[in-house]
Amino acid sequence: MSIDQGDWDDGARASASTLLARAAAAVRHVDRRLAEAIDDFFLADDSRLDDRTRAALAATLTAMVAVVEHDLRQRAATHLSGADPALIRRIESGAPVLDRLVGSGLLRDLDLMRELIARTRQDLLVDLLPALPPDEIGSASLLARLAGSADAWVADAALAMMAAESRRRGLIDSNRLERTELPAELHHRLVWWVAAAIREQLGPSVADRMIVEAALRALADHDEGDRLESAAMRLAATIDPQPAELATVLRHALGDRRVALVIALLGHALGIDYATMRQIVLDGGAQLWLALRGAGLDRATVARIGLSLCEADPRHDVEAFADQLEAIAAVTPDEARGALAPLRLHPDFRAAMAELEKRR
């Protein structure tokens, strides 16, 4: 049988072109993987996500995209009830868009990943913190006591936080989310990314308008006030502990492993927004010690909180903290608040100033 080039048919030529394209793509893939491996090798240990955080982050991102995608597909299919049944089936049962979004690089968005990594670390910290014995904090949890308060505002805020915690816990226990619980701006981005990926699968069709309508309705139904972080800030503002009470409330919240409430209480006391205070608590170190002193906490309370956080996070050095304790206690609350003053500015203002500084 002849294998001269003249015997090749158009189908074989097309297959050859496809093979060449795949080989070129494979080369690019190998180069990209090598570049990523090199970056990972030179990454500092304190910048590398541990395996548990990485797995939890992947589960959160997967569940988040899945809940948005399911919602959009169902809304669009419902509004197309009189359209071509085959198109409706394609909308309802299309391939998951997660891989497309990951491959596109859209999910590498700095703001989105900053929020998800911080939220994941916060959620994992709940299980890592040592629980205080009941004789130190009382038999009932702090939230349970607040939910039974005679003050209706306090009771309602506590119940709202308990409900938000339950929803967040559902993700950790089952890898499923009822909603994204993202800040509004990030939720907005994710909804449109998912909508665009669904539309890409379908191509131009009569479904375009329904996908847009589904996205708009999903955005209208989103309430960032339902987030655990928002509920914690509302509760902290509602109970509004006075300086003399703050140490006790923080000790009980920490003993209950209510990390979100600990962050919210410190943020409320210092006038610092939740996201900034969360990063301070998760990172530990000098800013956290200043925050604790700035909130007027005494040496014993600073020691309790610092040791608990150091024990829960292996990245923190317990001995180094113990060595600094006397120096931390020597900082006056006024000095600490003065050092933290820039963090009380609006985060967008701080970001704008940082961008301007880069352009000197």
Side-chain angles (χ1 to χ4, degrees):
M1 181 178 66
S2 171
I3 57 172
D4 289 343
Q5 183 170 344
D7 295 331
W8 294 357
D9 57 24
D10 290 342
R13 292 179 190 280
S15 296
S17 296
T18 301
L19 182 61
L20 289 169
R22 287 177 179 170
V27 170
R28 291 193 297 272
H29 178 69
V30 169
D31 289 344
R32 185 176 69 251
R33 291 292 300 273
L34 176 59
E36 291 170 349
I38 292 170
D39 287 343
D40 181 70
F41 177 77
F42 286 104
L43 195 64
D45 288 341
D46 59 358
S47 297
R48 181 176 285 109
L49 296 177
D50 62 82
D51 290 343
R52 185 177 183 185
T53 304
R54 185 185 296 272
L57 180 60
T60 300
L61 188 58
T62 300
M64 201 168 281
V65 172
V67 73
V68 171
E69 180 178 2
H70 177 76
D71 183 42
L72 292 185
R73 289 187 185 277
Q74 292 303 306
R75 289 177 189 266
T78 298
H79 290 297
L80 281 166
S81 56
D84 178 9
L87 176 59
I88 294 175
R89 285 195 298 273
R90 287 175 62 202
I91 292 174
E92 291 181 321
S93 58
V97 302
L98 177 64
D99 287 347
R100 175 67 178 111
L101 293 179
V102 171
S104 71
L106 284 173
L107 297 181
R108 290 174 175 262
D109 181 84
L110 182 63
D111 294 329
L112 176 65
M113 293 311 297
R114 179 190 291 116
E115 174 65 24
L116 291 188
I117 290 172
R119 191 169 111 178
T120 298
R121 289 178 60 197
Q122 170 187 299
D123 293 344
L124 291 177
L125 188 58
V126 172
D127 291 331
L128 296 173
L129 276 174
L132 293 182
D135 60 342
E136 289 195 42
I137 59 173
S139 57
S141 75
L142 174 63
L143 275 192
R145 294 198 300 275
L146 292 174
S149 170
D151 186 323
W153 293 100
V154 171
D156 287 347
L159 287 170
M161 184 173 169
M162 291 173 75
E165 276 191 333
S166 178
R167 287 193 301 271
R168 184 68 60 81
R169 194 72 213 177
L171 169 65
I172 297 171
D173 295 339
S174 66
N175 288 342
R176 298 189 65 180
L177 277 175
E178 295 179 22
R179 61 196 75 175
T180 66
E181 293 199 28
L182 284 172
E185 183 179 348
L186 296 180
H187 181 77
H188 185 104
R189 292 182 206 175
L190 185 60
V191 166
W192 286 118
W193 291 339
V194 172
I198 293 173
R199 197 270 185 182
E200 184 180 72
Q201 288 182 354
L202 300 172
S205 71
V206 296
D208 283 0
R209 186 169 60 84
M210 291 301 99
I211 293 173
V212 171
E213 182 66 24
L216 291 173
R217 289 177 180 270
L219 293 175
D221 288 346
H222 180 68
D223 182 2
E224 67 176 345
D226 287 339
R227 302 171 63 230
L228 172 59
E229 293 76 11
S230 299
M233 285 299 286
R234 284 198 304 274
L235 180 57
T238 302
I239 59 179
D240 190 24
Q242 298 306 299
E245 305 167 323
L246 182 60
T248 299
V249 178
L250 275 172
R251 181 167 59 87
H252 285 224
L254 191 67
D256 283 348
R257 298 191 289 196
R258 308 284 185 182
V259 176
L261 185 55
V262 170
I263 294 168
L265 287 165
L266 285 172
H268 177 71
L270 292 165
I272 295 175
D273 67 277
Y274 187 95
T276 301
M277 195 68 242
R278 175 177 60 190
Q279 202 62 51
I280 290 172
V281 170
L282 293 175
D283 288 347
Q287 284 193 322
L288 176 58
W289 316 141
L290 288 176
L292 298 178
R293 287 298 290 138
L297 302 180
D298 59 23
R299 182 185 185 281
T301 304
V302 171
R304 182 187 294 274
I305 294 175
L307 289 173
S308 292
L309 292 174
C310 287
E311 289 174 9
D313 191 336
R315 299 176 311 156
H316 298 161
D317 188 335
V318 176
E319 292 184 1
F321 168 69
D323 290 341
Q324 296 177 73
L325 192 53
E326 293 304 324
I328 294 167
V331 176
T332 69
D334 285 342
E335 289 172 333
R337 285 192 292 271
L340 295 172
L343 299 180
R344 291 199 289 272
L345 298 173
H346 191 283
D348 289 345
F349 185 34
R350 296 203 313 271
M353 290 192 299
E355 285 298 316
L356 193 60
E357 182 66 24
K358 289 179 186 177
R359 289 160 170 75
R360 278 187 177 276

